[in-house]
Amino acid sequence: MTNTVVLGAQWGDEGKAKITDILASKADFIIRYQGGCNAGHTVVANNTTYKFHLVPSGILYGGKVCFIGTGTVIYPEAFKSETDELKSQGVNLSGLKISPLASVTMPYHIEIDGYSETHAGKGKIGTTKKGIGPTYTDKAARIGLKIQDLYDEETLSEKLDVILPIKNKTLSKVYGLEEYSKECITELCKKYAEIFRPYVCFNWQELLEQHKNDRILFEGAQGVMLDIDWGTYPFVTSSNPIGGGAAVGSGFGPKVIDEVIGVAKAYVTRVGEGPFVTELKDETGKEIQETGHEFGVTTGRPRRCGWFDAVTMRYAVQVGGITKIALTKLDVFDKFDEIEICTAYKDTRTGEITKYYPTDVYTHKYFEPVYETMPGWKTDITGIKEFDKLPENTKKYIKRLEEILNTPISIVSVGPDRVQTIFRD
Ligand code: GDP
Ligand code: IMO
Ligand code: MG
């Protein structure tokens, strides 16, 4: 029995949901371990497109237990919209459970996120404005609400007496935003309690115990380069998408994890601000964006595009704990004459070539990508189901990446649909 973490190895939107969905068919218990509704996950199955933000995509297989773990942050209204939408698509949510220890995003978190983004000037992160940073900030500052607090009047009242004076002062004095009365927040919390009631799993300890010998799939959101500790800080999200995050946010310890699949596109995309050494601001970048339909699921923003960056990917393998790679969107290159792989960075200040990722992102403007050119395959690969049937140049490209990354590429994705996937092991 293999327990697997599926996580993004780049800056998010790598096609994690597609890979999780496929692997979920063989798992019994699926856990989302971090992030919130900043995530936008797409699965195409049976000619239908499903969009997820918080709900693990494994829910599409009726009967699987899908657990939204303690490491997540949840805005109740967004959770309601998502579950309503899935129900309207006929998805059976009976296996969906939420940890009562997950953090609640409150309306003021979203207001603060919006305000900060609008007034940050050069410090703008380009967040999804879903209140993610401010919710994790309050969690770390120990003034956050957990889902379990919504069900105990006395606890809630006691906590609000501590939280609200601080929060209101910050809202009005720092941000010039409206304050919240205790009555108003208490009413909101009652409403939120009802939204979560069918799903909140108070006996989660028993649930985890029941599933400890089952096949567990840990679903990450965002990606290693957006990790709060290891990503392109400060242009990151506020949680830990890395493999270690699965142990923190799920309730299972690190020894339960057998393998970590890092999902990476055959190129790189990024939404929001922050450095991106292989970014293409030319026609090729546009071609990748259009062919790959690179527009955000959550915000609709166009994704910045660039060539595959093996420097950040090797780094992601190291700090993300990645043991295998799922390479997605290879089909986007079907019409390309040539494909570039960035194997190293050149420091234009010294001329030095490095294959190690420079962690001070403010210096990235001085780094240029060093490329290795691979020939394209000029063939439609979207219908190919076996690795051996891929064009020679596609196989060469994949094998070269494996060499450069020193990590096996065990899954290759050649289209958005479940069936457009090639397994190599
Ligand atoms: P996630 O956030 O990592 O789950 O990825 P998103 O869903 O935000 O973005 C990935 C997009 O690429 C989605 O629209 C997927 O349907 C699509 N996709 C996934 N794999 C492939 C692939 O191999 N080829 C193509 N053309 N599209 C893919
Ligand atoms: P999935 O799970 C891509 C980015 C935002 C911004 C930064 C911080 O679909 O891969 P936040 O709202 O989290 O405070 O924003 O992180 N970001 C994502 N980019 N995919 C995501 O999720 C993302 N979630 C957050 O664009 O740059
Ligand atoms: Mg996404």
Side-chain angles (χ1 to χ4, degrees), residues 104-354:
V104 183
T105 294
M106 299 299 286
Y108 49 77
H109 293 130
I110 295 171
E111 288 159 25
I112 292 173
D113 199 0
Y115 181 97
S116 306
E117 279 295 296
T118 317
H119 294 82
K122 274 173 95 180
K124 187 173 176 228
I125 309 289
T127 74
T128 57
K129 298 189 184 170
K130 303 290 180 190
I132 306 299
T135 313
Y136 279 114
T137 301
D138 280 3
K139 172 178 163 173
R142 293 154 293 191
I143 53 166
L145 287 174
K146 288 183 174 282
I147 288 181
Q148 65 184 11
D149 303 333
L150 307 174
Y151 299 91
D152 190 304
E153 254 178 64
E154 199 182 333
T155 303
L156 183 65
S157 173
E158 240 178 84
K159 284 190 81 166
L160 288 180
D161 285 340
V162 175
I163 294 169
L164 274 181
I166 305 170
K167 211 73 244 178
N168 277 334
K169 210 170 241 174
T170 320
L171 282 169
S172 60
K173 301 274 187 290
V174 177
Y175 298 100
L177 293 166
E178 289 286 312
E179 297 192 0
Y180 281 86
S181 67
K182 189 173 177 189
E183 293 67 40
C184 168
I185 294 289
T186 309
E187 277 312 300
L188 276 176
C189 287
K190 275 189 198 152
K191 183 177 160 200
Y192 295 166
E194 291 319 303
I195 291 175
F196 291 132
R197 195 178 293 282
Y199 309 103
V200 63
C201 181
F202 287 104
N203 61 346
W204 62 270
Q205 296 173 47
E206 196 181 337
L207 181 80
L208 264 55
E209 199 166 74
Q210 277 164 4
H211 288 282
K212 71 173 188 225
N213 294 320
D214 283 348
R215 199 179 157 188
I216 307 164
L217 187 62
F218 300 86
E219 182 184 50
Q222 289 81 51
V224 174
M225 299 314 290
L226 288 171
D227 187 280
I228 181 82
D229 289 300
W230 301 99
T232 46
Y233 189 89
F235 305 98
V236 292
T237 191
S238 301
S239 65
N240 289 113
I242 56 160
V248 176
S250 67
F252 287 103
K255 283 186 93 173
V256 170
I257 300 166
D258 299 302
E259 63 175 15
V260 178
I261 299 183
V263 186
K265 283 178 194 171
Y267 48 92
V268 177
T269 65
R270 169 155 215 183
V271 206
E273 307 301 315
F276 175 2
V277 172
T278 63
E279 182 169 12
L280 294 165
K281 292 183 178 163
D282 57 5
E283 281 309 304
T284 309
K286 245 201 155 56
E287 194 180 347
I288 296 177
Q289 189 183 67
E290 277 161 21
T291 315
H293 306 288
E294 295 299 350
F295 298 90
V297 180
T298 300
T299 58
R301 291 179 291 176
R303 296 170 181 156
R304 300 152 62 192
C305 298
W307 294 118
F308 189 91
D309 182 348
V311 175
T312 56
M313 187 67 198
R314 271 192 299 259
Y315 173 78
V317 166
Q318 179 174 42
V319 303
I322 292 167
T323 57
K324 285 177 175 178
I325 293 166
L327 189 67
T328 62
K329 298 203 123 171
L330 214 57
D331 54 298
V332 171
F333 286 145
D334 279 359
K335 292 194 174 132
F336 278 55
D337 294 323
E338 288 179 333
I339 299 156
E340 308 280 5
I341 303 170
C342 165
T343 55
Y345 289 174
K346 179 180 173 186
D347 187 335
T348 56
R349 296 166 298 184
T350 59
E352 198 188 326
I353 307 284
T354 177

